[in-house]
Amino acid sequence: MAEKLRVNPTRMELKRLKERLKMASRGHKLLKDKSDEMIRRFVGYAKEDKRLREEVEGDLAAALTKFLLAKSISDEATIQEAVAMPGTQVSLNLDTQNVMAVQVPKITIEESDSTEKYPYSFTSVTAELDSSIATISELLVKLVELAQIEKTCNMLAIEIEKNRRRVNALEYVMIPQTEEAIGDITMKLDEAERSNTVRLMKVKTIIQK
């Protein structure tokens, strides 16, 4: 149960508390709407994360299978020589984007113009290695996108939890406390007004006598 507010039972205090309750109720609605929208966005990102992760894991499994097949056909030295030098050179541009007032990462990939996917002679290796390297190269963009989405999900989850605590603080602490204080002040003012009325009636009766 929320702790009771200590306030002065005056009309000025009553007016101040009513304004406070009005602002708290408005803030609660705005935060609740924001929380609902953030959850909706989070669910969308989570679904995309699940889809992309399954796709990446499937492609990685296929690439690994082809790579193991290539190793079983070619000798170890040939494979090592073929994959010793990276064939793809990329640069990452890091930025942020606003999602429900949360600054989440935005990553774009730029490939070098001199990119060569297969930095070896085709006659020295099997087609399985070519296919494996091609799949791995194509996965780079998906892996970066997956990392971006997962970080976004993490940041949104943290913000949703913070927002939930704010909503709960308003809903279960501040608003009930303020409503109770308003009720107490109203009751005391009404009592004071009735007492004043009774005194005035007694005074009037005494004067009439």
Side-chain angles (χ1 to χ4, degrees):
M1 183 176 179
E3 185 180 349
K4 197 169 184 177
L5 287 177
R6 296 181 180 180
V7 293
N8 295 321
T10 62
R11 295 191 182 280
M12 185 68 69
E13 186 70 12
L14 179 62
K15 181 180 179 181
R16 186 185 71 82
L17 287 175
K18 285 184 177 180
E19 287 295 326
R20 179 182 180 183
L21 178 61
K22 184 178 179 181
M23 291 182 62
S25 300
R26 185 184 304 144
H28 176 268
K29 183 181 184 305
L30 291 174
L31 286 174
K32 190 72 169 59
D33 292 344
K34 178 183 177 181
S35 182
D36 292 341
E37 179 62 18
M38 287 178 70
I39 291 173
R40 187 187 70 81
R41 297 277 189 98
F42 175 83
V43 170
Y45 279 114
K47 288 181 178 178
E48 178 63 15
D49 177 78
K50 183 175 182 295
R51 182 197 66 79
L52 194 58
R53 175 171 286 279
E54 291 176 349
E55 188 176 323
V56 166
E57 289 177 349
D59 290 346
L60 278 174
L64 181 59
T65 300
K66 293 173 183 176
F67 183 75
L68 292 175
L69 182 59
K71 285 187 65 176
S72 67
I73 298 174
S74 304
D75 61 90
E76 184 73 18
T78 302
I79 296 293
Q80 290 292 337
E81 183 181 354
V83 299
M85 295 295 293
T88 302
Q89 295 182 359
V90 299
S91 60
L92 299 181
N93 294 324
L94 305 180
D95 201 354
T96 59
Q97 57 185 345
N98 190 305
V99 177
M100 298 300 296
V102 180
Q103 295 298 319
V104 300
K106 181 180 181 181
I107 308 174
T108 54
I109 298 179
E110 291 184 1
E111 291 192 14
S112 173
D113 294 336
S114 59
T115 293
E116 175 57 53
K117 187 180 295 184
Y118 308 104
Y120 52 79
S121 172
F122 288 111
T123 59
S124 61
V125 296
T126 63
E128 285 76 15
L129 183 62
D130 299 339
S131 180
S132 176
I133 289 178
T135 302
I136 296 281
S137 298
E138 293 169 359
L139 274 177
L140 180 60
V141 175
K142 293 181 181 179
L143 286 170
V144 171
E145 184 181 357
L146 181 61
Q148 175 180 302
I149 292 176
E150 290 197 346
K151 183 61 177 178
T152 299
C153 286
N154 290 338
M155 296 179 73
L156 283 178
I158 292 172
E159 189 63 26
I160 287 170
E161 178 60 22
K162 289 180 180 178
N163 200 68
R164 184 187 66 81
R165 288 198 294 267
R166 296 188 191 105
V167 170
N168 288 344
L170 287 171
E171 185 173 350
Y172 298 111
V173 180
M174 185 176 180
I175 291 177
Q177 281 182 338
T178 306
E179 288 176 338
E180 185 180 15
I182 288 173
D184 290 344
I185 293 177
T186 301
M187 183 178 64
K188 289 178 180 178
L189 289 175
D190 288 343
E191 288 177 357
E193 187 173 348
R194 283 194 297 269
S195 297
N196 288 333
T197 301
V198 171
R199 280 197 297 270
L200 288 173
M201 291 177 65
K202 287 183 178 179
V203 170
K204 183 178 180 182
T205 301
I206 292 172
I207 293 174
Q208 288 177 345
K209 288 182 178 181

